[in-house]
């Protein structure tokens, strides 16, 4: 596989999803029953995927950190800090650095939905892209196959189709950014669709809650 050529394709597909407008509202953090004491408004949208029999989810929130810093927290260790704060992540690591803006990462999740969704693992090609005219920096990814990373005991191998996280500076406030997280994940296994559809939007809100908490904590401690 030509990783750089594949990265260009991943970035184009993710950017097209980012710019698309045919989303439907799935959930909001301000609805009853969501995270207590999380003051930021997270909106989650969805639409049918064209890549697998499921949905693409898009979650949006404004965070009190500049885009470059948010991206650093999203990337896997040691390239970034994802493994230090993401409560959903059981593992998050770089297994190959191709260049400064292109890596292969392996991640694994804890079980969720009271154990109905068991631990998953993923192997992804991750590329960082910058759009200076828009004040945006993004991570874009898609799952790939690696001979040295076969499915492991205790995990169900999932597939991340084209997606990414786009961080755009808020005009007039260099210390804030608008973050859009786009996910289309085939969790594999024999999960009922209803379980997946109910769990993923809430997990995306949890993701922003944990990310916001980490940014605030590390900001206060001078990181």
């Amino acid at each position: 596989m030509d990783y750089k050529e594949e990265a260009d394709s991943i970035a184009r597909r993710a950017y097209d999803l980012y710019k698309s407008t045919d989303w439907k509202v799935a959930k909001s953090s301000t609805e009853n029953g969501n995270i207590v004491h999380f003051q930021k408004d997270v909106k989650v949208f969805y639409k049918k995927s064209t890549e697998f029999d499921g949905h693409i989810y898009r979650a949006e929130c404004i965070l009190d950190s500049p885009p470059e810093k948010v991206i650093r927290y999203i990337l896997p260790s040691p390239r970034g800090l994802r493994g230090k704060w993401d409560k959903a992540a059981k593992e998050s690591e770089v297994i190959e650095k191709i260049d400064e803006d292109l890596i292969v990462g392996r991640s694994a999740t804890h079980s969720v939905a009271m154990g109905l969704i068991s631990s998953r693992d993923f192997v992804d090609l991750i590329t960082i892209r910058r759009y200076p005219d828009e004040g945006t920096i993004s991570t874009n990814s898609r799952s790939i196959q690696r001979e040295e990373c076969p499915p492991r005991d205790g995990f169900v191998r999932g597939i991340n189709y084209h997606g990414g996280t786009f961080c755009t500076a808020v005009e007039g406030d260099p210390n804030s950014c608008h973050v859009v997280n786009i996910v289309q994940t085939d969790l594999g296994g024999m999960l009922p669709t209803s379980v997946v559809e109910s769990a993923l939007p809430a997990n995306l809100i949890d993701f922003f809650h944990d990310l916001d908490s980490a940014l605030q904590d590390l900001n206060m401690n001078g990181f």
Side-chain angles (χ1 to χ4, degrees):
M1 176 185 291
D2 184 328
Y3 282 146
K4 293 193 175 183
E5 183 177 315
E6 180 66 16
D8 288 341
S9 175
I10 290 169
R12 285 194 300 271
R13 295 284 293 274
Y15 186 81
D16 287 345
L17 289 171
Y18 172 58
K19 288 296 185 180
S20 65
T21 58
D22 54 337
W23 301 92
K24 300 177 182 178
V25 177
K27 198 176 186 68
S28 169
S29 61
T30 57
E31 293 175 4
N32 290 335
N34 288 319
I35 298 172
V36 179
H37 305 311
F38 187 40
Q39 302 301 318
K40 298 189 183 301
D41 183 18
V42 182
K43 288 185 170 58
V44 183
F45 305 86
Y46 74 100
K47 65 178 176 178
K48 193 78 175 70
S49 173
T50 61
E51 299 193 64
F52 78 111
D53 187 20
H55 289 93
I56 313 170
Y57 290 91
R58 173 189 179 113
E60 303 184 18
C61 184
I62 292 178
L63 298 177
D64 301 323
S65 288
E68 289 276 358
K69 194 164 197 175
V70 174
I71 289 294
R72 184 182 174 217
Y73 286 67
I74 290 171
L75 289 169
S77 303
R79 178 65 175 83
L81 300 171
R82 184 68 170 266
K84 295 183 180 298
W85 62 266
D86 190 347
K87 295 177 182 176
K90 197 170 188 176
E91 300 175 12
S92 177
E93 62 176 339
V94 174
I95 59 175
E96 182 181 356
K97 177 183 174 182
I98 298 161
D99 62 34
E100 282 301 315
D101 292 331
L102 184 59
I103 58 177
V104 178
R106 177 165 52 193
S107 62
T109 64
H110 293 285
S111 62
V112 297
M114 296 180 292
L116 291 175
I117 301 177
S118 60
S119 294
R120 262 58 181 172
D121 76 336
F122 304 88
V123 177
D124 299 324
L125 183 64
I126 303 167
T127 179
I128 303 168
R129 298 293 162 122
R130 294 170 179 81
Y131 306 92
D133 292 346
E134 301 177 30
T136 299
I137 179 172
S138 68
T139 68
N140 312 278
S141 61
R142 190 188 191 286
S143 289
I144 60 172
Q145 293 186 356
R146 299 269 295 207
E147 289 186 3
E148 72 273 30
C149 299
R152 296 177 292 169
D153 290 342
F155 298 91
V156 175
R157 176 57 54 89
I159 300 173
N160 286 318
Y161 291 94
H162 295 91
T165 304
F166 293 79
C167 302
T168 303
V170 173
E171 188 173 356
D173 186 356
N175 292 316
S176 295
C177 67
H178 179 228
V179 182
V180 175
N181 189 22
I182 297 172
V183 177
Q184 54 173 333
T185 300
D186 182 352
L187 293 174
M190 301 296 292
L191 288 171
T193 301
S194 59
V195 173
V196 176
E197 300 297 314
S198 63
L200 283 179
N203 287 349
L204 287 169
I205 293 174
D206 290 345
F207 166 84
F208 274 110
H209 174 264
D210 294 344
L211 175 56
D212 181 63
S213 296
L215 287 165
Q216 290 191 37
D217 180 55
L218 294 180
N219 282 339
M220 287 188 292
N221 286 282
F223 287 86

